[in-house]
Amino acid sequence: MKSKSKLKIFLAIGIVSIIIAGCANSNDLDMMKGMDHSKMNVDSIQTQSSNNTGSIFTDETTRVDGKEYTITAQASNLKVSKDKTLPVWTFNNSVPGPEIRVKVGETVKIKLKNELEEPVSIHWHGYPVPNEMDGIPGVTQDAVVPGKTFTYEFKASIPGTYWYHSHQDSVNQLDKGLYGALIVEDPNDSYDRDYTLVLDEWMSFV
Ligand SMILES: [Cu+2]
């Protein structure tokens, strides 16, 4: 029997972002055989949390239900290869930030805490939310300044694969790592496995 798998891909490339969501048949997934699929959204390059120099390193991306959750914007370091480490800005010390996964009809409640030295926000790219929850500094809210918090709350009204990101100085803050996936599940959708891929072209560190 053919297994039905759903492959979701999303790309964040600077401020030019493309979201592709769709289904792939089992042939498309043949190339991925042998990989540990359970960790595909948690790239294996992200591991430890500290080293003997005292530097902080990113953790693995977590998956959260987002019903009542705190996301902290904070600086960290991302080891992208054996001898390359990037200074990054993170949501909850991971790049991408936590994958927020809810079901249609549920309420997403995210408290954003800013521990960076610059103001940040969370914008729910393309997702229908009340205007004051849309996270556009200077338009729908004031940016969350260092040391402060802001709570975003909205009902997940439509299913789909989305992403969130800071909308303050987006060109730089996205490139530093302030983004993550927002997945709203449709209870009528069925699949055996569900993968989230987040691709980012690093520009500021080249
Ligand atoms: Cu956006």
Side-chain angles (χ1 to χ4, degrees):
M1 201 176 101
K2 252 190 175 177
S3 79
K4 188 180 164 201
S5 296
K6 180 185 281 187
L7 179 65
K8 293 170 173 173
I9 299 172
F10 99 69
L11 313 169
I13 303 174
I15 54 167
V16 183
S17 307
I18 303 164
I19 299 180
I20 302 170
C23 298
N25 63 31
S26 54
N27 287 340
D28 294 332
L29 297 174
D30 280 352
M31 55 185 272
M32 299 201 279
K33 272 181 187 161
M35 296 170 70
D36 180 357
H37 292 155
S38 66
K39 290 201 170 156
M40 279 199 63
N41 66 332
V42 186
D43 198 58
S44 57
I45 56 176
Q46 300 179 40
T47 48
Q48 70 281 59
S49 56
S50 68
N51 70 0
N52 53 14
T53 65
S55 299
I56 295 170
F57 283 84
T58 52
D59 296 321
E60 291 186 348
T61 295
T62 52
R63 178 179 285 184
V64 301
D65 67 17
K67 288 177 195 162
E68 186 116 32
Y69 190 71
T70 298
I71 285 184
T72 303
Q74 57 193 118
S76 192
N77 293 283
L78 171 65
K79 198 168 166 63
V80 291
S81 68
K82 235 203 224 156
D83 33 44
K84 183 99 180 166
T85 297
L86 305 176
V88 290
W89 283 7
T90 73
F91 285 130
N92 282 7
N93 199 32
S94 70
V95 179
E99 176 183 306
I100 301 168
R101 183 174 281 260
V102 296
K103 291 184 173 53
V104 171
E106 290 180 341
T107 295
V108 179
K109 190 173 179 184
I110 301 289
K111 184 190 202 179
L112 169 64
K113 190 174 170 209
N114 186 5
E115 289 185 357
L116 290 166
E117 290 172 356
E118 287 183 28
V120 295
S121 75
I122 292 182
H123 169 60
W124 309 94
H125 190 106
Y127 205 77
V129 299
N131 203 45
E132 66 274 19
M133 293 292 134
D134 204 32
I136 315 284
V139 180
T140 66
Q141 71 166 116
D142 292 331
V144 182
V145 297
K148 294 293 179 192
T149 64
F150 182 88
T151 300
Y152 295 92
E153 187 170 349
F154 58 90
K155 197 170 177 181
S157 54
I158 55 169
T161 302
Y162 294 86
W163 66 303
Y164 63 90
H165 61 84
S166 179
H167 210 290
Q168 172 75 11
D169 187 19
S170 302
V171 171
N172 291 308
Q173 293 197 359
L174 268 77
D175 195 42
K176 286 178 174 174
L178 290 179
Y179 53 79
L182 167 66
I183 313 287
V184 181
E185 294 181 353
D186 182 346
N188 300 318
D189 239 5
S190 69
Y191 50 84
D192 294 329
R193 293 183 180 194
D194 193 1
Y195 308 114
T196 305
L197 301 183
V198 181
L199 309 180
D200 184 7
E201 179 184 26
W202 299 93
M203 297 190 297
S204 54
F205 305 113
V206 193

